[in-house]
Amino acid sequence: MDASSLILNPKRQKLDGGEEVEGSSKSLSNLPDVVIQKIISLLETKDAIRTSILSKRWEYLWTSIPNLNFYKGLFAARSPLVNIVERALLLHGPADIETFDLTFPVLDDACRVNAWIDATVRRNVKKLYLYLHSLKEPFYLPHSLFTSTTLVAAELDIPFLFKAPSTVCFSSLRTLSLRSIVFSDDSTQQLFSGCPVLEELSIEECKWMNLKFVSICAPQLLRLTITELDPQLSKGSDGCQIMIFGVSLTYFYYRGELLNEYCFYDSSSPNEAEIHLSYNFTKKLRPTAYRLYKLLRGLSSVKELVFSDSNAFEVILGNAPELVAQMPLFNDLTTLVLEDSVYIDNKALLTMLQYCSCLETLVFVEGIGLSSDRVEDDGVLEPLPPCFLSHLKMIEVGDFSGDENELNALEILLKNAMVLENMLLACTTEFQGGPEKKTEIAKQLSNLAKGPESCEVVLV
């Protein structure tokens, strides 16, 4: 039985021994106020407010709860939600608000919602989550929000035209998530320069309208995530150049069509990066090739790189071949993860690996194969990546089913990777054979290794 049912359904309860005790509300009323307030704080905001009807003493105990969460799903209509938010903010005691979480159809109530946000700022809100939709009039966040000294985390999912005041200083903000926002003027720069202690930034499905250049300046930024999958985001825009100044950056994630250009300032390359590209083949991919090239230049110091699509290299090779000779050297890259199924004799992939001379671990998440069942007599990859001769020690292959094409691809890898020490094959449910078959394949493949040291092949 949860706290809500115990408090809001004060019936007589029986102990294990059969002795009846007074209803839970009376039992709870014997507790100190501070304990009751702690219990009430565990309830949904709506239920916490409902406890005010239990007794005179309980009437205002809920007003000190630190977390206020409101979403339309709690109510059959919009009006009760408006009333309960108004009451909660009006009667909330002097205690600070820890979290204010609001999902709300704004309609014509932009001023009302702004007043709510302003009230939370005056109550020293620390975590602010706003999911606002159905806007029927221009909406601008209150100026008081942009100078909050207590806000540490904010998530804004608002399809509106962003406007910030001339002064922006989130002196305590460490986590910021932005979704569906339209950035259109110089106030955008004010936002991305006004978060001196920001550590995590997420920009999802936002539009850079009428903007040619924006810099993200956050000296303590550790993680940056960017998603732009909606093709409508590029309408009316030729793309924006976003320069990232993040000397502390450790992780970068991108998913989308490279609708904009992302560059890292000299010393801002992260340690880990994930790039998940999608393409619109009805458009010319030459601009995409140039943007991918500039992004990779900024990631040249990365230590671990994840690509969801190995064809990303083909975008450069096929649409801007003049850039191949200018590709940066990934001398710090030790782990490369390719999440899609890969042909190991793919020219674009082998060309990319030419620039990863210190690669130690190569992971093929969804398996490998050859683009043709024909295997060259010498089995030499052309061009042969230099890391195969000196550094590559571990190869992991997923979705291994044991067919002939896969075995031929593995044979070529083993013949070319001269210092390989371990090969791990993760079998699919379609793998034909039990433990004996796995042992047989492992032994067969181990005997094909050409390096001076033995290579251990393991099937799991």
Side-chain angles (χ1 to χ4, degrees), residues 24-60:
S24 56
S25 64
K26 184 173 181 179
S27 301
L28 288 170
S29 294
N30 293 328
L31 298 173
D33 283 1
V34 65
V35 176
I36 297 176
Q37 288 168 338
K38 177 63 177 177
I39 295 173
I40 292 176
S41 71
L42 301 176
L43 302 176
E44 289 275 3
T45 302
K46 180 184 71 169
D47 292 333
I49 295 175
R50 287 173 60 198
T51 62
S52 63
I53 66 173
L54 294 178
S55 71
K56 188 68 176 177
R57 180 190 171 198
W58 286 58
E59 187 173 1
Y60 296 106

Side-chain angles (χ1 to χ4, degrees), residues 131-176:
Y131 311 96
L132 307 179
H133 57 94
S134 304
L135 281 70
K136 288 190 174 181
E137 58 185 346
F139 179 84
Y140 305 109
L141 292 166
H143 286 193
S144 61
L145 175 63
F146 293 92
T147 53
S148 169
T149 59
T150 59
L151 195 64
V152 297
E155 187 167 325
L156 308 178
D157 187 345
I158 314 173
F160 78 131
L161 202 64
F162 180 84
K163 296 281 186 182
S166 56
T167 300
V168 177
C169 184
F170 291 103
S171 59
S172 301
L173 188 64
R174 298 187 181 278
T175 303
L176 177 61

Side-chain angles (χ1 to χ4, degrees), residues 60-311:
Y60 296 106
L61 289 178
W62 68 270
T63 60
S64 62
I65 59 175
N67 301 314
L68 300 175
N69 304 288
F70 306 100
Y71 51 94
K72 189 174 181 295
L74 286 172
F75 306 92
R78 180 175 177 273
S79 296
L81 177 57
V82 172
N83 294 335
I84 201 169
V85 174
E86 298 260 300
R87 186 181 179 205
L89 292 174
L90 178 65
L91 298 179
H92 197 278
D96 290 347
I97 294 177
E98 181 79 18
T99 302
F100 185 74
D101 189 338
L102 175 68
T103 300
F104 187 68
V106 178
L107 301 182
D108 297 316
D109 281 331
C111 290
R112 185 195 299 266
V113 173
N114 262 346
W116 294 346
I117 298 171
D118 182 66
T120 67
V121 174
R122 286 187 279 107
R123 295 280 171 73
N124 299 318
V125 66
K126 292 182 179 180
K127 299 176 183 179
L128 181 66
Y129 305 109
L130 300 176
Y131 311 96
L132 307 179
H133 57 94
S134 304
L135 281 70
K136 288 190 174 181
E137 58 185 346
F139 179 84
Y140 305 109
L141 292 166
H143 286 193
S144 61
L145 175 63
F146 293 92
T147 53
S148 169
T149 59
T150 59
L151 195 64
V152 297
E155 187 167 325
L156 308 178
D157 187 345
I158 314 173
F160 78 131
L161 202 64
F162 180 84
K163 296 281 186 182
S166 56
T167 300
V168 177
C169 184
F170 291 103
S171 59
S172 301
L173 188 64
R174 298 187 181 278
T175 303
L176 177 61
S177 177
L178 306 169
R179 179 179 171 83
S180 304
I181 295 174
V182 179
F183 299 112
S184 64
D185 62 18
D186 292 340
S187 68
T188 300
Q189 188 59 67
Q190 295 292 111
L191 172 65
F192 291 119
S193 301
C195 307
V197 298
L198 190 65
E199 296 177 353
E200 296 188 27
L201 174 61
S202 174
I203 303 172
E204 186 174 354
E205 305 297 351
C206 292
K207 184 173 183 178
W208 309 85
M209 188 173 71
N210 303 324
L211 289 172
K212 296 298 181 183
F213 178 85
V214 171
S215 63
I216 298 175
C217 304
Q220 296 188 36
L221 187 64
L222 300 175
R223 299 176 65 86
L224 174 59
T225 300
I226 298 172
T227 304
E228 45 184 20
L229 293 172
D230 186 355
Q232 299 298 318
L233 296 174
S234 62
K235 282 194 173 182
S237 173
D238 294 327
C240 179
Q241 183 187 64
I242 294 101
M243 179 66 73
I244 301 160
F245 294 82
V247 294
S248 303
L249 198 64
T250 61
Y251 176 79
F252 174 76
Y253 176 99
Y254 177 85
R255 181 181 292 275
E257 295 184 20
L258 284 176
L259 302 176
N260 300 286
E261 181 179 303
Y262 297 95
C263 304
F264 292 86
Y265 190 67
D266 290 346
S267 58
S268 301
S269 181
N271 293 326
E272 299 178 37
E274 292 191 42
I275 302 176
H276 303 267
L277 294 183
S278 54
Y279 314 100
N280 185 344
F281 290 101
T282 64
K283 295 182 178 180
K284 293 182 179 179
L285 291 178
R286 186 171 176 81
T288 303
Y290 267 81
R291 287 171 179 168
L292 177 57
Y293 163 73
K294 290 183 178 180
L295 177 58
L296 290 175
R297 282 188 64 87
L299 297 173
S300 60
S301 298
V302 72
K303 293 179 174 61
E304 181 174 333
L305 180 60
V306 177
F307 259 103
S308 65
D309 186 359
S310 59
N311 288 328

